[in-house]
Structure formats: structure tokens, C-alpha cells
Amino acid sequence: MQIKFSDKINNIIKNLALEAERFGVKIYFVGGLIRDVLMGINPCDIDILVEGNAIEFVKSLNFAQIKSQHPDFGTIKAQIDDIDIDFASTRTEKYPHSGTLPVMVKLGCAIKDDLIRRDFTVNAVAARILPSLEYEIIDLFNGISDIGQGILKVLHKNSYIDDPTRILRGLDFKLRFNFNFSGQDEKLIEQYLKNPGREYLSTDRVILTLKKLFGSKENANRAFVEFIEKKYYRILFDDFYRNARDINEAIEIFKPQSIGETYVKYIFEQKKEPPALNSPLEIYKHFKNMPDVDICVYYALTHDKNALLYQNTLKNIKLEIKGCDLLNLGFCQGKLIGEILDKTLEAKLAQNSPITNFQDEINYVKKTFIP
Ligand code: CTP
């Protein structure tokens, strides 16, 4: 197998392979990198799996600058020739309960034991890195054939029970790569969703996975429709009363920066009654400091017209005069300055206000506040 890296990266990889031989460990590419290469996608991140202790291996290299390390997980990030590389140690894991974060059992295990803890066959192909820059494929679960056919299969029947976020990861791969769950996987997922174990569920992990799933603008809507139709929400809740139309409409209007965070907030946010806001100034002040994600989700949940008025009109109205302009007009420093600025803003926010520019504001102040 060939992997097309730049000459600079090839050089780093060759040196790492030579150092690995010297140190007495085998090093591999595994998971997403190999899956992507086999699908003709250029790898962007470089992750290396060390069959042994990655931290000890990286510390033995005199050309690697260590950036961070997590001894509990046996992972270490280093910079080599300005390139960031993540190194992980092979490990076995167990899930004490359904949905909890896994606990490491053995660090530095054999590669085959590391591969079997993974999510899908398509992510469990490894390629041993040799100094000749040839790659020796280890495909214990027919992952290459499944990549070719675009099939998502877990490696053992408890996989979705151990880690239900794999259902959401699978949906992500389905939408990104046009993959499909195998018939057997559809059944395993259906069984899990009938009786999901939520007692020990790591909600943080679910949230991270959801943010990634909904993070891509092109796929977010389809992902959300499937999340509802296939009842994947049952990983979290028995029932779910949100719908794709409301959040889509809100995203179109409010164009939040982070689509992933918007969907996640929409999933978890409680519905609230809109507050009574009695003037454009009150509406302006209420929404002014709300992050774009929050206002978008608020609108999706309430359809409050005040949020629309803010977004379409009030948000773009800004006072051009400042406190110093009022001092120049002869007002004294103090509370009054703030009050005059507020009143001027209120007049500018009013429907069909004649105040549109700096001079209009000055004239308004003179007319209203200077006897
Ligand atoms: N993995 C897993 N179960 C999870 C998360 C990750 O088994 N819940 C394993 C998979 O083997 C995966 C590897 O950890 O290939 C790395 O995970 P991640 O970086 O999240 O995903 P990639 O598969 O690399 O895919 P991509 O980054 O392209 O989404």
C-alpha cells in the first residue's frame, strides 16, 4: 500500500520508523487515516499508534518537541519539524456500564487487541509503517472490503450497548461517505434503542459526538431528520418534541456561527414562555447580549416575533454619539449622560424614526434635553 504524503512528512515518518526499530516497537497508522486513504481522501491529521508505550517512545526521540501528554491514556502530542503528530499507545479497554467512558485495562497490548476495541470494521484497519515507507496492512475484520462496499459493521454485538455514541458516529459516516449500517447493525441499534441504558451514560461524550455530527453545514439538516426519524434521540430521552422545520427556519434567519452547537442546544434547551417586552428599547436590551446560538434556538422554540424584529431591524441600529459628544454639548459627567444616550437610542429604535445619523442624534439631544 502507498500513502501520498509530502516529502517533508514522508521524511518524518521514515525517521520515526527507523527510531521505532531501534527502540524495539512497531508503529502503525490506524482508524480514520487508513479509512480515508483507502477511499482516496488525503489524510489531514497524522496519528500514530505505537504497539507499546507511546510516551516512552516519543521521549526517546531527540527530534521531537513534546507538546502535551496524558499518561492515564498513554497518549502524547509532539511537534516534529513544525508538524503536530499525535501518538497513542495500544490499549485494551472495558466499559464498566453501558454508555460510560471506557476504562483502560492494559496499556501497550498487542495490536490485534487494540483493534478489537474499536467502533466499526472500516475504522479497524491498521498499516504498519516500515522505514522503506511501505505499509503492511493488518485487516483482521475485513474492513477493506467493508470500506469498498460502504458498510458499517461493529466488531461485536455489545458495541452499541457499551458505547451508544457509535450509533451517532455511524450516522456521521453514513452522511459523510454514503455508508450504510449493515442489516445486523440496524437490528442491534433497534434493540439498543428499545431499552437504552441511560443511568451511567456519559452525556458529555454524547454532546461532543452530536456537535461533530451536526457540525457540517451540508449534512446537519439530514442528520437531524434521521436523528428524529430513526429515534436516535432515545439514546438521551424517551420522547422528543423538537422538529427539523423549526430549527432550520431559525438557522436560515439567524445564521449562527456554530451549527453544531445550535442543534445541540435545540435538543437540550427547555421551552420557555417569551417575556413581556413593551418597547423597541426593551426588546433591544433583552436580545443585545444573547449569543447568536441562543437567540436562534430561542426563536426555534418560541417563534417570538420580538426576536425577529431584533434580528431584522433593531440589531443594526447603533447610536453614533458617545458620552464625549454630550460633554462637548455642555452636559456634566454623571448618570444623566447614560440616561440621555438611552433616550436617544430609544427614539432612534422607534418605528419610522427620523433619526438616522450622527447629526440627527445631536439635533434630537439639543431639542429634547437643552432647554
Ligand atoms: N473510536 C471508537 N469509538 C468511539 C470513538 C472513536 O472506537 N466512540 C475509535 C475508532 O477506531 C476511530 C478512532 O477511535 O477510528 C479515532 O476516532 P476519531 O478521531 O473520533 O474518528 P476517526 O475515525 O479518525 O474519523 P474522523 O476524524 O474522520 O471523523
Side-chain angles (χ1 to χ4, degrees), residues 30-33 35-36 45 47 91 93 95 114-115 117-120 122-124 159 163-166 169 172-173 176-177 205 209 212:
V30 66
L33 188 148
R35 182 198 64 223
D36 288 355
D45 297 327
D47 299 328
R91 61 181 193 264
E93 293 174 340
Y95 290 82
D114 179 283
L115 293 178
R117 73 175 170 85
R118 290 169 183 267
D119 51 0
F120 298 105
V122 294
N123 286 334
S159 189
D163 178 0
T165 65
R166 288 176 172 167
R169 284 174 60 80
D172 186 33
F173 296 131
R176 274 162 64 196
F177 307 128
R205 193 180 212 192
T209 315
K212 192 168 173 210

Side-chain angles (χ1 to χ4, degrees), residues 86-194:
D86 286 310
F87 294 84
S89 312
T90 45
R91 61 181 193 264
T92 56
E93 293 174 340
K94 69 171 185 199
Y95 290 82
H97 303 281
S98 172
T100 44
L101 292 178
V103 176
M104 183 161 63
V105 176
K106 183 174 179 205
L107 188 129
C109 65
I111 180 82
K112 69 173 182 10
D113 297 325
D114 179 283
L115 293 178
I116 203 164
R117 73 175 170 85
R118 290 169 183 267
D119 51 0
F120 298 105
T121 59
V122 294
N123 286 334
V125 181
R128 182 173 166 206
I129 307 168
L130 298 169
S132 59
L133 291 183
E134 282 168 319
Y135 297 93
E136 201 177 275
I137 295 286
I138 300 172
D139 182 15
L140 304 176
F141 312 101
N142 291 324
I144 296 184
S145 156
D146 289 341
I147 292 170
Q149 296 180 64
I151 298 181
L152 293 164
K153 280 185 206 155
V154 283
L155 303 181
H156 57 92
K157 70 175 180 13
N158 281 333
S159 189
Y160 295 117
I161 300 172
D162 284 345
D163 178 0
T165 65
R166 288 176 172 167
I167 301 172
L168 304 170
R169 284 174 60 80
L171 174 57
D172 186 33
F173 296 131
K174 179 173 164 177
L175 299 176
R176 274 162 64 196
F177 307 128
N178 232 349
F179 285 178
N180 277 302
F181 288 110
S182 75
Q184 171 69 7
D185 282 65
E186 298 269 14
K187 281 191 199 126
L188 290 173
I189 292 171
E190 213 178 289
Q191 267 169 27
Y192 173 77
L193 294 175
K194 270 189 195 144

Side-chain angles (χ1 to χ4, degrees), residues 351-371:
Q351 214 178 1
N352 301 324
S353 169
I355 306 171
T356 58
N357 57 32
F358 179 83
Q359 197 51 52
D360 293 342
E361 292 172 17
I362 293 284
N363 292 344
Y364 173 82
V365 172
K366 280 185 180 161
K367 197 174 84 197
T368 318
F369 301 101
I370 301 181

